[in-house]
Amino acid sequence: MADIVILDGQDIGQAHRATSAILGVVLAEHGTTFDRWVVLNALATGAFPPERARLVPGLAGALATGPTAVEAMLDQAEAAGLARIVSAPGGDPGAVRVELTAAGRAQHGTLRSAIDHVADELHSGIPEADLAAAHRVLAEVTLRADGWMTLWAATRPAVPAR
C-alpha cells in the first residue's frame, strides 16, 4: 500500500514559489511590478476600504511590510496616473480616499485578463471539486496560521532593548 501524502508547508511553499515566478513574468511582460499590481488589484476589487487611513494598514498587513512602503506604492501609482487621491468634503483627513483612474482600471483589466489566462491553463484538467477542496484547506491553514501568529505575538516575552 502506498504511503499517503499529506499537505505540508513545503508543498505550499513550492506552489507559492512557482506561481509567484509566473506572476512576475506576466507582470514584467506588461511593464509593471508586483507592488503596482497589488495596489491596482486592491483598489479594483475593494479588498480593503479605499480610505487611505484604512487602506495603508490593510495593505501593509497583507504584504507583511510597513506603512511607509505602502505609502510609497500609493504615491508611485498616483505619479504614474493610475490612482488618484480624493480629498473628503470638509477636509476630514480620515476620509481621504484612493481610487483608480481610468488608466488604472484599464491596466488592472489587462493584467487581470493575463493572470486569469495563466491560471486557467494551470488549473486545466483539475476537477472543480479538487480545486474547491484545495481552496478550503488553504484558507483554513491561512486562518489558523494568522491566529497562531497573533497569539504568539501577544504572549511572547518582551525582548530587552540593547
Side-chain angles (χ1 to χ4, degrees), residues 43 77-78 81-86 97-102 105:
L43 293 172
E78 183 181 23
L82 302 172
R84 68 175 152 256
I85 308 303
V86 180
R97 298 168 53 91
V98 182
E99 59 186 39
L100 290 178
T101 62
R105 285 189 299 278

Side-chain angles (χ1 to χ4, degrees), residues 16 20 23 27 32-48 55-56 58-65 69-70 73-74 77 82-83 98 100 104 107-108 111-112 115:
H16 178 264
S20 291
L23 177 62
L27 295 175
T32 196
T33 64
F34 178 74
D35 287 351
R36 182 163 291 165
W37 164 246
V38 168
V39 169
L40 291 171
N41 197 51
L43 293 172
T45 63
F48 300 101
L55 177 65
V56 169
L59 281 172
L63 294 170
T65 190
V70 173
M73 291 174 2
L74 293 174
L82 302 172
V98 182
L100 290 178
Q107 186 172 27
H108 177 265
L111 293 170
R112 178 81 271 157
I115 291 165

